[in-house]
Amino acid sequence: MGSAVKLRTDFSAGELRRLARNSKDVRQSSRLLSIAAVLDGMSRADAARIWGVAPPK
């Protein structure tokens, strides 16, 4: 298993949600919401699964 990608800290979870709301790209919005959830303490796997950005099995 690979190592986790380090999250950037220059945007807060709230800022990422605002960016997601204003984005016209649905996939970009999903990714931003997933990252916001992780910043709020959700596991990466759960966040990816909930927002539909988990890799296929």
Side-chain angles (χ1 to χ4, degrees), residues 26-56:
V26 174
R27 292 179 359 171
Q28 180 186 40
S29 293
S30 293
R31 289 185 185 104
L32 289 169
L33 291 170
S34 293
I35 295 168
V38 170
L39 288 175
D40 283 340
M42 184 180 285
S43 76
R44 290 173 183 231
D46 288 343
R49 201 169 13 266
I50 287 171
W51 295 105
V53 294

Side-chain angles (χ1 to χ4, degrees), residues 16-28:
L16 291 173
R17 285 188 184 86
R18 182 183 52 76
L19 290 169
R21 243 189 338 267
N22 294 329
S23 176
K24 297 189 186 321
D25 185 326
V26 174
R27 292 179 359 171
Q28 180 186 40

